[in-house]
């Protein structure tokens, strides 16, 4: 009877699976960077309270926050090409599947971080803006020089938790054929008939990433609280 778990298979799979980690980090980096820019834009639009714009943004945020990431990924993968072709005559058949992943994750991060940034901006006392105006700053200057830096500091814990969740969400990308670390683990299991070693390595990688990120975020929060 063949053994259930093999240490030799476990160690031999580590370099194969580790080779897929850069893809995971790439997805997270793109989603977090562009998602943050989108989130700040959406937060400002919500704070301006322009009726039609605010309504559209709220509907978008409700969809992104109220549906599973897998649903969003499938909607972007199957519906976005039809939408772009019908409205803008854009052919997406040559797009790499990873591009649909980027779009999905950027939109998702934009929606989730938007509410985090909006709440952080509202948490900055209005007296800060009033003091800036009394010093001769324009509303734009007061926002970017006074309000925004303080709000970003307030938003760090929420943004950190979102970043931790983002790493876990990347495990869904293999559902549209993007072979990340989890997709490779599944392929190894299908080809060899032994899944436990590959899935265990994947779990260990994600645990290590989670612990390292938590440590870095705790250090960052500690440094920000000094000021």
């Amino acid at each position: 009877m063949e053994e259930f778990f093999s240490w030799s298979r476990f160690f031999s799979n580590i370099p194969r699976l580790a080779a897929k980690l850069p893809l995971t980090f790439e997805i997270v980096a793109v989603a977090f960077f562009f998602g943050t820019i989108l989130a700040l834009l959406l937060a400002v639009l919500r704070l301006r309270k322009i009726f039609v714009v605010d309504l559209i943004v709220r509907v978008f945020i409700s969809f992104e926050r109220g549906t599973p990431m897998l649903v969003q990924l499938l909607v972007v993968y199957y519906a976005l090409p039809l939408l772009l072709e019908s409205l803008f005559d854009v052919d997406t058949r040559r797009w790499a599947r990873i591009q649909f992943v980027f779009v999905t994750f950027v939109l998702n991060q934009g929606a989730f971080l938007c509410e985090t940034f909006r709440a952080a901006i509202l948490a900055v006392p209005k007296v800060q803006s009033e003091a800036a105006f009394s010093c001769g700053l324009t509303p734009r200057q007061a926002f970017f020089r006074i309000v925004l830096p303080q709000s970003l500091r307030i938003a760090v814990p929420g943004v950190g938790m979102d970043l931790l969740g983002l790493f876990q969400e990347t495990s869904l990308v293999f559902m549209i054929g993007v072979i990340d670390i989890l997709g490779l683990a599944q392929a190894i299991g299908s080809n060899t008939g032994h899944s436990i070693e590959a899935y265990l390595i994947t779990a260990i990688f994600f645990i290590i990433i989670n612990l390292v990120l938590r440590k870095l975020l705790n250090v960052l929060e500690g440094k920000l609280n000094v000021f």
Side-chain angles (χ1 to χ4, degrees):
M1 181 177 178
E2 191 170 1
E3 58 184 339
F4 172 73
F5 182 89
S6 169
W7 283 109
S8 62
R9 285 196 300 266
F10 177 85
F11 288 112
S12 65
N13 286 332
I14 290 178
R16 296 178 61 189
L17 292 168
K20 288 297 181 179
L21 283 176
L23 177 60
T24 298
F25 283 104
E26 180 185 3
I27 295 171
V28 170
V30 171
F32 189 72
F33 178 77
F34 290 103
T36 297
I37 296 174
L38 176 60
L40 288 170
L41 174 62
L42 294 176
V44 171
L45 290 176
R46 286 220 58 194
L47 290 170
R48 288 181 175 273
K49 296 183 179 179
I50 303 172
F51 178 72
V52 176
V53 176
D54 186 55
L55 180 61
I56 294 173
V57 173
R58 290 173 65 180
V59 170
F60 166 72
I61 292 174
S62 296
F63 173 79
E64 292 291 328
R65 292 170 67 94
T67 57
M69 176 68 87
L70 179 58
V71 172
Q72 298 168 28
L73 183 60
L74 294 176
V75 167
V76 169
Y77 185 65
Y78 289 108
L80 183 62
L82 298 176
L83 183 65
L84 291 177
E85 185 173 2
S86 60
L87 295 181
F88 306 105
D89 196 28
V90 175
D91 187 2
T92 61
R93 285 176 293 182
R94 297 195 179 193
W95 284 22
R97 293 179 181 181
I98 190 65
Q99 292 178 273
F100 294 99
V101 171
F102 290 151
V103 171
T104 302
F105 278 71
V106 168
L107 293 177
N108 179 269
Q109 288 300 289
F112 273 86
L113 292 177
C114 167
E115 293 301 285
T116 301
F117 290 141
R118 187 173 73 92
I121 292 170
L122 292 174
V124 177
K126 290 185 178 180
V127 68
Q128 300 281 351
S129 297
E130 294 170 357
F133 298 152
S134 67
C135 293
L137 271 66
T138 66
R140 183 184 298 273
Q141 290 172 330
F143 178 77
F144 284 103
R145 296 183 185 181
I146 307 298
V147 177
L148 186 59
Q150 294 184 70
S151 63
L152 290 177
R153 184 184 303 175
I154 296 171
V156 165
V159 172
M161 293 302 297
D162 183 83
L163 183 59
L164 291 172
L166 179 58
F167 268 98
Q168 298 172 11
E169 296 286 2
T170 58
S171 61
L172 297 173
V173 301
F174 81 98
M175 296 296 294
I176 63 169
V178 177
I179 305 301
D180 67 330
I181 184 171
L182 186 61
L184 181 58
Q186 186 182 50
I188 290 173
S190 300
N191 293 333
T192 65
H194 299 281
S195 301
I196 184 65
E197 295 88 354
Y199 284 131
L200 180 59
I201 294 168
T202 302
I204 291 173
F205 280 148
F206 276 105
I207 290 172
I208 293 173
I209 291 170
N210 186 284
L211 292 175
V212 172
L213 274 178
R214 284 183 182 274
K215 180 63 176 178
L216 293 175
L217 290 169
N218 288 337
V219 171
L220 178 60
E221 287 183 44
K223 288 184 176 297
L224 291 177
N225 288 334
V226 172
F227 300 99

